[in-house]
Amino acid sequence: AERRIALIGANGSGKSSLTRLLSARYGLQPVFEAVDENPYLSDFYERMDLYGFHSQIFFLARRLKQHLAMVNPGEHIVQDRTVFEDAKIFATNLHRQGIMNDRDFASYMELYEAVSLALRPPDLLVYLQSDLKRLRQQIELRGRDFEAGISDTYLLQLQDLYEEWIGSYTASKLLIIPATDLDFVHDEADRAFV
């Protein structure tokens, strides 16, 4: 049986909600993303070019601490977003878009590569696949001020990178959930399906 489950997906795909539901239903220890603790995040969404590297380094450091303290030694874990996404999706997107320069990206990836050697992959990686309309609805519903300015282009770029990364993922079992039309928070049948 899978004991370490990691949930991945773009902003608004339902990771945090599903983390809470799985934690409650199966007695798993939830490990949430440190979104509200990132001192660079609101600045990042205002000026990605100035704060992209700083924000990514904060997430990498925080997620490494979480992983070493809770995920590596944990026996029954559900994780909301992974350190792997930080590098393979978010930092890579910033680099591809020219927001993070080559030098900063190379430094970031060198640190990530060293860090990743100490991390246990999940037993099961669950990708919540959602379309742009659904992501946008969920982002608006949760009402985080700093997310209000996220462009559709940015979300689509993230989705493209998720699809690209998932296509070559082999570190653990993988489950792709087509979450666009699912409401596992409010709909009992959808929750049972998931």
Side-chain angles (χ1 to χ4, degrees):
E2 283 73 32
R3 297 183 304 170
R4 291 177 189 83
I5 299 170
L7 305 177
I8 66 167
N11 304 40
S13 61
K15 295 177 307 298
S16 298
S17 296
L18 189 54
T19 297
R20 283 189 285 277
L21 289 168
L22 291 174
S23 172
R25 174 149 183 170
Y26 297 108
L28 302 172
Q29 179 182 3
V31 179
F32 289 100
E33 185 177 23
V35 172
D36 297 329
E37 300 165 29
N38 187 333
Y40 298 103
L41 205 52
S42 58
D43 293 325
F44 166 73
Y45 283 117
E46 292 284 321
R47 290 289 311 271
M48 289 184 178
D49 57 328
L50 288 181
Y51 295 100
F53 180 75
H54 302 81
S55 182
Q56 287 306 126
I57 289 292
F58 173 86
F59 275 130
L60 185 62
R62 183 56 56 94
R63 230 179 300 274
L64 172 61
K65 285 171 92 173
Q66 279 184 332
H67 210 106
L68 294 176
M70 299 164 74
V71 178
N72 273 12
E75 295 207 3
H76 303 285
I77 298 288
V78 59
Q79 189 177 4
D80 172 6
R81 188 157 279 150
T82 67
V83 68
F84 312 112
E85 291 164 271
D86 288 333
K88 302 297 183 179
I89 309 299
F90 292 92
T92 297
N93 186 51
L94 293 176
H95 182 246
R96 284 189 183 176
Q97 302 312 313
I99 295 166
M100 186 184 293
N101 67 42
D102 291 344
R103 181 177 62 177
D104 287 348
F105 184 66
S107 295
Y108 175 89
M109 289 306 289
E110 187 169 345
L111 180 58
Y112 164 76
E113 300 282 334
V115 161
S116 65
L117 296 174
L119 305 181
R120 293 175 74 169
D123 297 314
L124 176 65
L125 187 72
V126 179
Y127 173 37
L128 296 175
Q129 197 175 42
S130 292
D131 69 10
L132 178 63
K133 182 180 177 187
R134 176 62 182 253
L135 296 176
R136 180 62 63 203
Q137 288 170 341
Q138 294 304 109
I139 288 170
E140 288 172 15
L141 271 176
R142 67 181 173 205
R144 290 178 179 153
D145 289 341
F146 61 82
E147 285 185 326
I150 294 177
S151 71
D152 288 353
T153 302
Y154 180 74
L155 289 172
L156 289 170
Q157 289 163 346
L158 294 181
Q159 283 185 294
D160 287 346
L161 276 165
Y162 272 108
E163 296 294 327
E164 182 181 316
W165 180 55
I166 285 300
S168 61
Y169 180 80
T170 59
S172 69
K173 292 180 185 175
L174 170 66
L175 173 64
I176 299 174
I177 297 177
T180 294
D181 297 319
L182 295 177
D183 184 0
F184 42 77
V185 173
H186 301 105
D187 187 293
E188 191 67 41
D190 286 352
R191 186 163 41 250
F193 169 76
V194 170

